[in-house]
């Protein structure tokens, strides 16, 4: 039986023998011949004992691949070597192309094994600090095989997308302009002070490492043995090391021993207002706002049209905030409040609360006139719907929008009630960086202290006043600033929804609304 040949395509890493993987060492040992670029052969020569060595020079890659395939088809085990990783600008792809040209099939053809190695982007980054902690890409600036047009387009796209970029083959004796052109492209998108690392001969003799800036990078030596790593907009330099934040600072306090968010809270949409899930919530609400003149207008008419009393009758079921995001009812607490426009609980509602709390649970009365129902986490969703059916509003405690109202003087002054109903429908229960209280008062007396809430709405003399940035308690407690006045109901709903959505998408995790307001976030 004819001996079956094998192609071992080996990436041996940056060059230092200690960085070669165990599998790469074993593959070299089992090979009968080693084929590679002369410089690379020299780097691993101490590891070669019995193997035939076939070394060639620059631009001889195709002949190396063809010779390797020919020998493997003749029954030999052949090692084809590349520095770094053979699948990253190495010999793996070319060997496969030659095989494909010869009609090679996996079943019945010579066996091919690609053995991974440490690529230059990894080895150079380890010397520079931690510059590729976030999304990164590699771009070869060699235009010997790829049109410069294509390379420039990729540099432009990576710059626009704020990728950390590792430039391979940045410059040679004849190719000197490419790195200059790449830098010019990136300066359209990045600050001149953006950190740049230049590493020459990583983990080899004559290794050199420089940390500089996009502005000054061309003042340093850059050649064929160099890899240039350009940071993104968040990359910083500390103690001469480049560090690109992963994003943990958005959610965690890196200097605190105890985190504000508990483990079970950290993956919720409310803790990630920048996420796709939060964007979907915001888009849904924005669409509702954009339809204010049409569908929303007709909805408002339906809500108030027949009579305010009819709207109040439907309120508990229609607006119970058991609409909180599905799947989050594992919490052991539910926040329960009367229907909008009321501060009263009926005897039947109190009895239901007591039943659901059980002997082991608790009912905690809050300063807002609500109850926290603390009970077993089991069947929380069923409890929420039972409370909603009884005419109560049910929410999950935490970082969500809360819409609350005054008692509208026992509904003797109910002109602002419909606005509260609409705000509740569009915003109540939406995830935000920190709990957002929206208070609605039905007259200029504002006895419910709506103006002290994060967002305060006061109906006065036939129109609405909007207050922002109140701080209800603690040091520096203060009323909100009058933001707008003389608004009709549609204008109010549009303004409040837009502000709440902007806070949800742009506020920092755990940033209180009054801080967001002070920094001008509501105006961006």
């Amino acid at each position: 039986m004819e001996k079956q040949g094998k192609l071992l395509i080996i990436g041996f890493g940056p060059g230092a023998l200690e960085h070669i993987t165990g599998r790469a060492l074993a593959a070299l040992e089992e090979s009968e011949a080693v084929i590679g670029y002369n410089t690379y052969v020299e780097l691993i020569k101490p590891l070669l004992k019995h193997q035939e060595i076939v070394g060639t020079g620059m631009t001889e890659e195709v002949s190396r691949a063809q010779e390797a395939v020919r020998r493997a088809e003749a029954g030999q085990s052949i090692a084809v070597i590349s520095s770094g990783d053979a699948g990253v600008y190495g010999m793996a792809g070319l060997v496969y192309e030659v095989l494909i040209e010869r009609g090679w099939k996996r079943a019945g053809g010579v066996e091919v094994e690609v053995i991974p190695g440490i690529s230059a982007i990894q080895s150079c980054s380890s010397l520079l600090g931690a510059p590729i902690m976030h999304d990164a890409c590699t771009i070869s600036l060699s235009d010997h095989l790829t049109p410069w047009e294509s390379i420039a387009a990729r540099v432009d796209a990576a710059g626009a997308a704020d990728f950390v970029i590792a430039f391979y083959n940045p410059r040679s004796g004849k190719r000197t302009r490419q790195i200059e052109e790449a830098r010019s492209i990136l300066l359209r998108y990045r600050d001149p002070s953006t950190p740049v690392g230049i590493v020459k001969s990583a983990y080899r003799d004559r290794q050199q490492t420089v940390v500089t800036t996009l502005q000054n990078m061309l003042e340093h030596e850059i050649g064929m043995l160099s890899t240039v790593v350009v940071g993104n907009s968040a990359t910083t330099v500390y103690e001469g090391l480049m560090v690109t934040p992963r994003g943990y600072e958005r959610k965690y306090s890196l200097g605190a021993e105890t985190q504000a968010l508990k483990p079970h809270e950290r993956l919720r949409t409310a803790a990630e207002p920048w996420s796709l899930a939060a964007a979907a919530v915001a888009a849904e609400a924005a669409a509702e706002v954009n339809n204010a003149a049409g569908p929303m207008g007709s909805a408002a008419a339906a809500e108030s049209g027949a009579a305010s009393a009819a709207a109040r009758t439907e309120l508990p079921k229609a607006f119970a905030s058991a609409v909180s995001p599905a799947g989050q009812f594992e919490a052991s607490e539910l926040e329960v409040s009367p229907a909008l426009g009321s501060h009263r609980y009926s005897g039947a509602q109190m009895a239901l609360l007591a039943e659901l709390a059980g002997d082991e649970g608790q009912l905690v009365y809050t300063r807002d006139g609500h109850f926290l129902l603390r009970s077993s986490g089991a069947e929380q969703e069923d409890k929420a719907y039972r409370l909603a059916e009884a005419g109560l509003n049910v929410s999950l405690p935490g970082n969500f929008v809360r819409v609350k109202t005054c008692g509208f003087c026992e509904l003797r002054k109910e002109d602002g009630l419909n606005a509260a109903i609409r705000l509740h429908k569009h915003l109540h229960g939406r995830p935000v960086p920190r709990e957002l209280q929206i208070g609605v008062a039905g007259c200029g007396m504002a006895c419910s202290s709506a103006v002290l809430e994060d967002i305060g709405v006061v109906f006065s003399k036939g129109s609405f006043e909007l207050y922002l940035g109140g701080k209800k308690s603690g040091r520096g407690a203060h009323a909100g600033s009058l933001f707008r006045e003389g608004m009709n109901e549609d204008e109010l709903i549009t303004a409040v929804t837009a502000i709440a959505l902007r806070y949800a998408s742009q506020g920092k995790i755990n940033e209180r609304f009054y801080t967001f307001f002070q920094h001008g976030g509501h105006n961006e």
Side-chain angles (χ1 to χ4, degrees):
M1 184 177 176
E2 205 172 280
K3 180 185 174 184
Q4 181 73 24
K6 185 174 183 179
L7 286 165
L8 299 158
I9 309 173
I10 302 170
F12 61 79
L17 299 183
E18 62 264 31
H19 292 133
I20 300 177
T21 67
R23 176 61 193 128
L25 290 171
L28 286 171
E29 179 63 29
E30 71 182 75
S31 64
E32 298 171 56
V34 175
I35 298 178
Y37 174 46
N38 287 325
T39 300
Y40 300 158
V41 170
E42 288 299 316
L43 287 170
I44 64 165
K45 221 168 193 178
L47 301 174
L48 305 180
K49 299 172 184 176
H50 59 82
Q51 298 89 341
E52 179 187 353
I53 297 173
V54 182
T56 61
M58 289 284 288
T59 74
E60 294 293 329
E61 297 89 353
V62 172
S63 62
R64 289 199 291 273
Q66 290 172 333
E67 178 66 7
V69 170
R70 185 188 66 76
R71 286 175 175 247
E73 288 178 339
Q76 286 187 292
S77 290
I78 303 297
V80 182
I81 61 170
S82 295
S83 67
D85 185 281
V88 181
Y89 307 119
M91 289 294 293
L94 180 56
V95 170
Y96 273 120
E97 288 182 76
V98 170
L99 286 167
I100 292 167
E101 189 70 22
R102 296 168 72 92
W104 170 81
K105 301 293 182 185
R106 294 184 73 175
V110 297
E111 183 181 352
V112 180
E113 181 183 356
V114 179
I115 294 129
I118 301 171
S119 186
I121 187 174
Q122 298 161 316
S123 58
C124 294
S125 293
S126 70
L127 295 170
L128 293 170
I132 57 169
M133 277 296 295
H134 219 303
D135 299 330
C137 66
T138 62
I139 299 177
S140 171
L141 293 184
S142 173
D143 53 5
H144 288 309
L145 300 173
T146 304
W148 175 252
E149 225 174 57
S150 299
I151 296 171
R154 291 164 188 168
V155 175
D156 188 87
D162 203 27
F163 278 96
V164 175
I165 306 169
F167 287 121
Y168 284 54
N169 309 313
R171 180 183 272 165
S172 67
K174 294 182 178 179
R175 290 186 305 101
T176 58
R177 287 184 51 204
Q178 285 79 356
I179 188 66
E180 298 170 8
E181 293 292 327
R183 172 182 170 274
S184 296
I185 292 170
L186 291 181
L187 282 170
R188 300 174 195 163
Y189 303 101
R190 305 206 180 165
D191 192 282
S193 63
T194 299
V196 172
I198 304 168
V199 180
K200 178 183 177 182
S201 301
Y203 295 102
R204 301 181 194 174
D205 293 338
R206 301 177 184 173
Q207 170 185 295
Q208 294 178 14
T209 302
V210 172
V211 175
T212 181
T213 64
L214 193 58
Q215 179 69 40
N216 299 326
M217 60 181 279
L218 298 180
E219 298 174 7
H220 301 275
E221 179 187 353
I222 298 175
M224 272 301 291
L225 298 178
S226 304
T227 301
V228 179
V229 179
V230 182
N232 68 12
S233 60
T235 305
T236 60
V237 175
Y238 181 81
E239 293 288 314
L241 299 172
M242 293 173 63
V243 178
T244 300
R246 180 70 178 87
Y248 287 98
E249 76 285 353
R250 288 195 181 98
K251 190 184 292 188
Y252 302 94
S253 299
L254 302 186
E257 292 185 9
T258 303
Q259 297 298 323
L261 291 173
K262 298 176 183 177
H264 70 278
E265 298 173 328
R266 293 172 188 171
L267 298 182
R268 290 181 176 175
T269 302
E272 300 169 345
W274 51 82
S275 66
L276 182 61
V281 169
E284 178 188 341
E288 293 169 348
V289 172
N290 290 336
N291 291 329
M296 186 183 286
S298 60
E303 290 163 3
S304 61
S308 294
R312 290 195 299 275
T313 301
E314 296 176 1
L315 182 61
K317 293 182 182 178
F319 299 100
S321 66
V323 298
S324 294
Q328 293 189 4
F329 281 97
E330 72 276 5
S332 60
E333 290 186 349
L334 294 174
E335 184 176 284
V336 184
S337 59
L340 286 183
S342 172
H343 287 169
R344 297 188 177 192
Y345 296 86
S346 70
Q349 290 171 336
M350 293 297 292
L352 177 60
L353 282 167
E355 175 195 336
L356 296 179
D359 293 339
E360 302 298 323
Q362 293 180 331
L363 287 172
V364 180
Y365 191 68
T366 73
R367 65 185 181 188
D368 293 318
H370 303 164
F371 280 108
L372 282 180
L373 171 59
R374 293 176 176 169
S375 59
S376 166
E379 300 178 346
Q380 289 293 84
E381 189 168 1
D382 289 342
K383 293 179 182 179
Y385 279 105
R386 285 189 65 190
L387 291 164
E389 288 292 326
L392 296 167
N393 284 324
V394 188
S395 309
L396 291 174
N399 294 329
F400 302 98
V401 177
R402 298 278 182 267
V403 178
K404 55 187 183 180
T405 70
C406 67
F408 293 95
C409 296
E410 300 296 323
L411 298 176
R412 293 191 300 274
K413 297 179 179 180
E414 56 182 320
D415 290 331
L417 177 58
N418 197 63
I421 291 172
R422 291 175 65 187
L423 287 172
H424 193 280
K425 176 180 179 181
H426 299 310
L427 295 175
H428 192 88
R430 303 282 185 187
V432 283
R434 190 69 178 258
E435 184 178 36
L436 178 67
Q437 299 277 0
I438 301 176
V440 182
C443 71
M445 296 295 291
C447 53
S448 63
S449 302
V451 295
L452 293 174
E453 303 294 355
D454 298 308
I455 298 177
V457 174
V458 177
F459 184 81
S460 178
K461 299 179 181 178
S463 64
F464 290 93
E465 298 170 355
L466 178 59
Y467 295 81
L468 299 180
K471 187 172 185 289
K472 196 168 187 177
S473 59
R475 292 183 179 179
H478 58 267
S481 302
L482 179 60
F483 183 66
R484 287 184 63 183
E485 58 185 332
M487 291 185 290
N488 62 35
E489 187 174 303
D490 285 342
E491 291 171 336
L492 172 77
I493 302 302
T494 300
V496 173
T497 304
I499 292 166
L501 295 182
R502 189 171 295 119
Y503 173 54
S505 62
Q506 298 180 12
K508 298 176 183 177
I509 190 67
N510 281 325
E511 180 182 27
R512 294 186 181 276
F513 180 79
Y514 67 79
T515 303
F516 179 76
F517 173 75
Q518 288 170 351
H519 292 163
H522 61 292
N523 283 323
E524 292 178 8

